[in-house]
């Protein structure tokens, strides 16, 4: 058997690497039109960072795993073709700001139709709107040249930072197919691939449309939990309650559970915002306005939380950060990844720069080039009724952005420190050393509840932690959310 995956990104690369590891008799090829990306996959420095990923790729490369720009050849030769391309939110045209942009997906589908010379199983790995499989079938069959295609949906449920672990020991593998004899036969073929390492009771087979929708709903539910606890964090600060204690008490209920109940200054990443917007658009297209408005609130709370954090920083520092150096620790949207797509820290940095702060940013996995790129990109206006202005940084404002090689360098002579990513190393820093190097009074704004606020107050810091009882000074400078 030969498997070809179109798309060498965060999903395609790791997924195919694990399939190659667990299925040594299967030839696995990952193809992409980006020569730069393929070169990185063939190098000692992979284009993405995930714990354990390099070791697996290094073990399988040259054996039954390869990366290539020869898309047509490998698609033509494959028995199973995965489509794992980016489906970002549309930025213009019908559905702009909400609908999924299927440009890359359609291009992949047409490539399969153009070059195929034998029957194939085509697997949707990209996150797509429900009933996209129907469109895929139309493209393939109208250009089939007598070739039979079976369409499957096999959505990914990977969390960045734990992607390899999620692939090796998944909670479930979902395979959706048409309820025809041919469709169910194709489902069984893909099921047999995963059965090399996934227990049978964790491989769930359902209809094609349910599989497509399940991915969007899963991400919407997870984001909803984060926005829920983040909303409560604001109430905790107002009342003197501790959001960590509240989350623990609630999470001990077996009906709720403890996952995704860590309050923060907001969620990000490539999936949650994009998939909720797609879900909202699908609801609107089906006349379900109230349902769409319900899911919009998840995103509104997320924006509220980011804005609230920026306001807290500025109000605590005497209502101005003009000309003040602020150390930003962390830029990736979560620890153990270099991914900055929709990272909430981008909006926080833009908010501080808009008030003319000077930023010194350190992240162990994000390059200066990526930081500057993200800060110059225009934010997507998903909520056209919002009064929040879209920030596009000027060249002058970008001169206020600097990067540092470590946390201590970032914090030197800073007025404040913002912790925006929960990297483990930020828990182990010598905060007394940082305090001594900072301007006084020295502020720490912990957007991830990484540090112990009482220990830092004992050193001399004025500390703000999301959802925790407020420092007397911070409380005295409180502003409305």
């Amino acid at each position: 058997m030969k498997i070809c995956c179109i798309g060498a990104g965060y999903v395609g690369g790791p997924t195919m690497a694990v399939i190659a590891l667990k299925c040594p008799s299967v030839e696995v090829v990952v193809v992409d039109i980006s020569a730069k990306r393929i070169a990185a996959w063939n190098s000692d420095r992979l284009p993405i960072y995930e714990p354990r990923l390099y070791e697996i790729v290094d073990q399988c490369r040259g054996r039954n795993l390869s990366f290539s720009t020869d898309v047509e050849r490998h698609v033509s030769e494959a028995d199973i073709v995965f489509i794992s391309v980016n489906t970002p939110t549309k930025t213009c045209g019908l559905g702009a700001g909400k609908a999924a942009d299927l440009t890359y997906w359609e291009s992949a589908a047409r490539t399969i139709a153009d070059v195929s010379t034998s029957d194939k199983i085509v697997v949707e790995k990209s996150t797509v709107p429900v009933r996209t499989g129907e469109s895929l079938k139309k493209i393939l069959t109208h250009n089939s040249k007598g070739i039979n295609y079976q369409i499957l949906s096999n959505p990914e449920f990977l969390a960045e930072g734990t992607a390899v672990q999620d692939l090796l020991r998944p909670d479930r593998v979902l395979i959706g197919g048409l309820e025809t004899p041919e469709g169910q036969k194709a489902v069984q073929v893909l099921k047999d691939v995963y059965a090399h390492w996934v227990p049978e009771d964790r491989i769930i087979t359902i209809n094609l449309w349910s599989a497509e929708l399940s991915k969007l709903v899963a991400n919407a539910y997870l984001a909803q939990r984060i926005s829920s606890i983040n909303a409560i964090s604001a109430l905790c600060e107002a009342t003197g309650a501790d959001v960590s204690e509240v989350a623990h008490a609630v999470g001990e209920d077996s009906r709720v559970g403890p996952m995704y109940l860590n309050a923060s200054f907001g969620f990000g990443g490539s999936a949650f915002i994009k998939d909720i917007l797609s879900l909202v658009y699908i609801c609107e297209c089906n006349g379900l306005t109230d349902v769409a408005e319900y899911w919009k609130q998840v995103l509104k709370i997320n924006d509220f939380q980011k804005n609230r954090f920026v306001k807290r920083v500025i109000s605590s520092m005497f209502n101005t950060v003009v000309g003040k150096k602020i150390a930003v620790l962390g830029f990736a949207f979560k620890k153990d990844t270099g991914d900055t797509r929709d990272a909430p820290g981008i909006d926080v940095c833009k908010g501080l720069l808009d008030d003319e702060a000077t930023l010194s940013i350190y992240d162990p996995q994000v390059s200066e080039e990526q930081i500057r790129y993200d800060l110059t990109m225009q934010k997507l206006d998903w909520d056209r009724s919002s009064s929040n202005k879209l920030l596009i940084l000027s060249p002058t404002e970008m001169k206020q952005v600097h990067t540092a090689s470590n946390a201590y360098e970032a914090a030197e002579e800073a007025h404040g420190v913002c912790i925006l990513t929960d990297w483990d190393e930020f828990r182990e820093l010598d905060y007394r050393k940082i305090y001594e190097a900072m301007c006084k009074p020295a502020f720490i704004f912990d957007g991830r509840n990484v540090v112990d606020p009482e220990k830092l107050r004992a050193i001399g810091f004025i500390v703000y932690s999301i959802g925790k009882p407020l420092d007397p000074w911070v409380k005295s400078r409180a502003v409305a959310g």
Side-chain angles (χ1 to χ4, degrees):
M1 178 184 290
K2 179 171 182 175
I3 294 176
C4 177
C5 177
I6 302 175
Y10 279 88
V11 174
T15 302
M16 294 302 114
V18 170
I19 289 178
L21 176 71
K22 293 297 185 178
C23 306
S25 63
V26 175
E27 181 186 355
V28 181
V29 183
V30 183
V31 297
D32 201 290
I33 59 174
S34 171
K36 181 179 178 181
R37 181 176 295 174
I38 291 299
W41 278 109
N42 284 318
S43 73
D44 292 335
R45 187 173 178 82
L46 303 185
I48 63 173
Y49 172 75
E50 282 288 337
R52 298 182 61 191
L53 178 59
Y54 175 76
E55 289 77 11
I56 292 175
V57 171
D58 190 50
Q59 180 179 340
C60 298
R61 258 187 331 210
R63 187 189 70 183
N64 67 325
L65 174 66
S66 59
F67 300 88
S68 174
T69 56
D70 193 347
V71 178
E72 295 185 0
R73 173 196 158 199
H74 293 293
V75 168
S76 174
E77 294 175 352
D79 303 292
I80 302 176
V81 180
F82 283 80
I83 300 178
S84 185
V85 296
N86 194 18
T87 52
T89 303
K90 288 185 71 174
T91 57
C92 60
L94 183 65
K98 295 175 186 174
D101 185 343
L102 300 180
T103 302
Y104 302 126
W105 167 89
E106 183 177 343
S107 176
R110 292 188 180 280
T111 296
I112 295 169
D114 288 344
V115 305
S116 294
T117 56
S118 59
D119 295 351
K120 299 194 186 309
I121 297 172
V122 181
V123 184
E124 298 173 336
K125 198 68 177 173
S126 303
T127 303
V128 293
V130 63
R131 301 201 76 89
T132 298
E134 198 167 45
S135 302
L136 177 58
K137 187 76 172 176
K138 277 188 171 63
I139 292 173
L140 295 176
T141 55
H142 281 267
N143 297 275
S144 67
K145 298 170 289 191
I147 296 168
N148 293 314
Y149 298 97
Q150 291 301 319
I151 314 301
L152 301 179
S153 173
N154 176 219
E156 52 85 14
F157 297 101
L158 308 181
E160 290 186 43
T162 60
V164 172
Q165 182 69 15
D166 296 338
L167 287 162
L168 292 172
R169 294 180 177 82
D171 292 333
R172 80 288 202 197
V173 170
L174 197 59
I175 303 174
L178 294 175
E179 295 170 316
T180 62
E182 296 80 9
Q184 292 306 298
K185 183 179 178 181
V187 167
Q188 188 61 49
V189 171
L190 186 56
K191 184 177 179 180
D192 289 343
V193 172
Y194 283 109
H196 280 79
W197 77 96
V198 181
E200 187 173 358
D201 61 353
R202 293 192 182 182
I203 304 176
I204 303 171
T205 58
I206 57 179
N207 81 48
L208 185 57
W209 322 128
S210 297
E212 290 176 339
L213 186 57
S214 293
K215 168 63 178 178
L216 296 178
V217 173
N219 278 342
Y221 263 76
L222 294 176
Q224 178 196 54
R225 284 175 69 96
I226 298 172
S227 278
S228 294
I229 198 63
N230 283 346
I232 296 302
S233 75
L235 182 59
C236 286
E237 292 171 25
T239 60
D242 186 321
V243 72
S244 297
E245 295 176 349
V246 172
H248 177 71
V250 172
E252 285 298 295
D253 188 327
S254 60
R255 296 169 299 176
V256 178
M259 299 297 290
Y260 285 82
L261 289 182
N262 294 320
S264 68
F265 70 101
F267 62 76
S270 64
F272 285 180
I273 295 173
K274 173 176 73 74
D275 290 353
I276 291 177
L277 290 172
S278 181
L279 188 63
V280 166
Y281 185 69
I282 292 168
C283 291
E284 290 175 343
C285 289
N286 284 278
L288 302 171
T289 305
D290 290 341
V291 180
E293 287 299 319
Y294 173 83
W295 288 110
K296 275 186 185 180
Q297 295 305 313
V298 175
L299 297 178
K300 287 186 176 181
I301 287 293
N302 196 48
D303 283 350
F304 161 81
Q305 190 76 341
K306 289 181 287 187
N307 291 333
R308 194 170 72 84
F309 186 81
V310 172
K311 289 178 182 179
R312 187 72 78 182
V313 172
I314 295 171
S315 65
S316 299
M317 298 176 71
F318 315 104
N319 278 325
T320 179
V321 291
V322 174
K324 294 177 181 176
K325 178 181 177 181
I326 297 178
V328 175
L329 302 187
F331 197 79
F333 84 95
K334 62 184 288 189
K335 70 175 184 178
D336 292 333
T337 180
D339 193 357
T340 62
R341 289 176 291 178
D342 280 326
I346 296 172
D347 288 338
V348 168
C349 289
K350 286 184 175 182
L352 295 173
L353 289 167
D354 190 49
D355 210 61
E356 299 185 22
T358 295
L359 304 185
S360 182
I361 304 173
Y362 165 67
D363 189 289
Q365 288 295 330
V366 182
S367 67
E368 178 178 1
E369 179 185 13
Q370 186 64 50
I371 290 171
R372 292 187 176 278
Y373 173 81
D374 289 329
L375 290 178
T376 54
M377 289 295 289
Q378 181 175 348
K379 180 184 176 183
L380 179 68
D381 185 14
W382 67 267
D383 181 11
R384 297 185 185 277
S385 66
S386 173
S387 61
N388 296 327
K389 63 180 178 180
L390 302 180
L391 297 178
I392 306 174
L393 299 186
S394 67
T396 300
E397 286 174 312
M398 284 308 298
K399 290 179 181 179
Q400 299 162 217
V401 177
H402 308 277
T403 57
S405 58
N406 57 66
Y408 301 105
E409 179 187 333
E412 188 173 351
E413 297 185 358
H415 291 79
V417 173
C418 292
I419 302 175
L420 302 187
T421 308
D422 53 337
W423 286 101
D424 290 339
E425 69 177 82
F426 297 157
R427 303 177 191 275
E428 309 300 329
L429 294 173
D430 183 345
Y431 281 97
R432 186 170 296 280
K433 177 180 176 181
I434 287 175
Y435 178 79
E436 292 171 353
M438 290 177 64
C439 297
K440 308 299 186 297
F443 295 86
I444 284 192
F445 304 93
D446 186 359
R448 297 289 187 180
N449 286 339
V450 166
V451 299
D452 183 331
E454 293 307 319
K455 287 183 178 179
L456 267 59
R457 287 182 184 126
I459 293 173
F461 285 104
I462 296 173
V463 183
Y464 167 68
S465 294
I466 290 283
K468 302 283 187 176
L470 294 177
D471 185 288
W473 171 258
V474 175
K475 189 173 185 179
S476 73
R477 311 292 293 184
V479 294

